[in-house]
Amino acid sequence: MVTRNDVARLAGTSPAVVSYVMNNGPKPVSAATKSRVLAAVEELGYRPNAVARSLRARRTWTIGVIASDSAGGKSPFFGEFTRSCEDVAWERGYSVLLGNSAEQPVRAEGYVRSFLERQVDGLVLMRVRPSAQQVKELEGRVPVVTIDHEAPPFFSRLAVDDEEGGYLAAAHLAGHGHTRLAFVGGPLNITAVELRLAGWRKGLAEKGLDSSLVAHAGISLEGGYSAATELLAERPTALFATTDHQAIGAMRAAADLGLRVPADLAIIGFDGARESAFTVPGLTTIRQPIDEMARFAAETLIAAIEQGETEPVTRIFPAELVRRGSCGCQDPRTP
């Protein structure tokens, strides 16, 4: 087996310097020396022992990410966020363990327990809330970043301004002259859904408009289809859905009922997922900066891991209205 000492001899340096190169620190190494070490590593086929490295450093260079829908089957937000989070981790030398809780609390708790047993260096929880007992177990053990509006005080936390997003949707549709508007929401036990509905109602109230046309369903294509089908019996002329997938489901429901978007029904979604630009017409949406949020989550977590105990960070990202054809705006016809 090729050892670090073998690499050091070939590169003409010390084993410690080889360690600094392989671990990106803790001491700097000149470019010339680093080049010699990497050339020796390549020539000898040296592969560090990850287990031994972890034992020495008391770290595993592993992050656990637990999402309520990591595959993006219900909402593309989770899949896109997870990918961007993993990109940052890879750039920083970390591997990612991914768990999909499928919106089941018992399954989420199982993943938290499993990842802790595997000695992950930190956790990202995407709208996943561990039990009170697990919160106690996590405190002081590993840093945690959560994507949610509610979290224990020692978790770092980020979220989009969901209430502002709902308000923007209401104001925009009212600005198009609509007076009979409907809301397709996800389950009310999700804080983000409650906040988007609160912003929606606030925006309509300011215009003196009724906000009673509301239906809740799963945050999925099927959920949007069923909720929209129910609401369209009341003949609204505009609809806001709390996810892009729900909005796309609503577009299909409108088509099946012989309604044209946006001539008969204006629609706005929420997420800003990539696929929203490819519907016909293009889906107007409230964009949350998914890539920026994911990078912030990963970088915040890695900083906490590498710098030891730090104060938890809270950041609320702004929501942005992206105008396309589904609301009645001119469709740019470009992704």
Side-chain angles (χ1 to χ4, degrees):
M1 179 182 294
V2 177
T3 69
R4 187 173 57 182
N5 290 340
D6 297 326
V7 175
R9 278 193 294 271
L10 182 59
T13 187
S14 69
V17 169
V18 175
S19 177
Y20 300 155
V21 172
M22 300 305 294
N23 296 322
N24 291 317
K27 293 184 179 180
V29 178
S30 71
T33 301
K34 183 176 182 179
S35 179
R36 292 202 314 272
V37 169
L38 292 177
V41 166
E42 181 68 21
E43 181 176 338
L44 295 173
Y46 173 63
R47 296 293 180 268
N49 187 310
V51 174
R53 178 190 180 208
S54 297
L55 289 173
R56 287 194 302 270
R58 295 186 179 180
R59 282 167 51 193
T60 61
W61 284 270
T62 305
I63 291 170
V65 177
I66 306 173
S68 56
D69 178 29
S70 61
K74 294 185 177 180
S75 172
F77 169 80
F78 297 105
E80 292 184 20
F81 187 103
T82 301
R83 172 59 187 271
S84 293
C85 190
E86 185 178 11
D87 287 345
V88 175
W90 178 258
E91 292 166 6
R92 299 291 298 274
Y94 287 78
S95 297
V96 172
L97 294 178
L98 178 61
N100 184 351
S101 75
E103 299 180 350
Q104 300 174 25
V106 172
R107 186 163 164 171
E109 291 179 16
Y111 270 120
V112 171
R113 190 178 308 111
S114 174
F115 286 177
L116 289 177
E117 289 172 354
R118 285 167 172 74
Q119 299 183 334
V120 296
D121 296 321
L123 287 170
V124 176
L125 305 179
M126 300 174 61
R127 294 187 186 145
V128 169
R129 297 180 183 177
S131 66
Q133 178 59 38
Q134 281 196 325
V135 168
K136 291 180 180 179
E137 294 172 3
L138 286 168
E139 187 170 12
R141 187 166 177 180
V142 295
V144 179
V145 176
T146 183
I147 293 77
D148 207 337
H149 287 272
E150 300 174 3
F154 63 92
F155 283 16
S156 288
R157 177 173 63 90
L158 68 144
V160 72
D161 192 338
D162 289 294
E163 186 170 357
E164 176 65 11
Y167 180 88
L168 288 173
H172 187 68
L173 290 172
H176 274 291
H178 295 283
T179 59
R180 189 162 180 78
L181 305 98
F183 177 92
V184 171
L188 269 172
N189 61 345
I190 300 175
T191 302
V193 173
E194 296 174 355
L195 290 171
R196 291 171 196 181
L197 178 56
W200 169 256
R201 284 177 165 156
K202 178 183 177 182
L204 294 187
E206 287 185 2
K207 302 293 184 180
L209 299 174
D210 177 62
S211 61
S212 62
L213 278 181
V214 174
H216 291 278
I219 53 172
S220 61
L221 296 165
E222 295 82 4
Y225 183 92
S226 63
T229 300
E230 173 188 338
L231 289 168
L232 290 175
E234 302 296 328
R235 298 300 181 189
T237 61
L239 180 149
F240 168 52
T242 52
T243 71
D244 285 347
H245 265 193
Q246 286 182 317
I248 293 170
M251 292 175 78
R252 176 56 188 262
D256 285 353
L257 292 170
L259 300 174
R260 298 166 298 162
V261 176
D264 302 316
L265 180 70
I267 296 179
I268 293 181
F270 196 117
D271 275 332
R274 294 182 182 92
E275 62 204 69
S276 64
F278 292 89
T279 60
V280 180
L283 178 63
T284 296
T285 184
I286 305 298
R287 188 182 78 90
Q288 43 186 339
I290 300 173
D291 184 66
E292 184 182 352
M293 292 170 69
R295 297 192 73 87
F296 177 83
E299 289 169 357
T300 297
L301 186 66
I302 292 171
I305 292 167
E306 297 184 347
Q307 297 170 17
E309 291 188 12
T310 59
E311 288 295 317
V313 177
T314 295
R315 182 170 172 185
I316 305 300
F317 288 78
E320 174 193 2
L321 175 67
V322 177
R323 296 171 177 85
R324 298 194 182 101
S326 69
C327 67
C329 288
Q330 182 176 358
D331 197 329
R333 295 183 179 275
T334 55

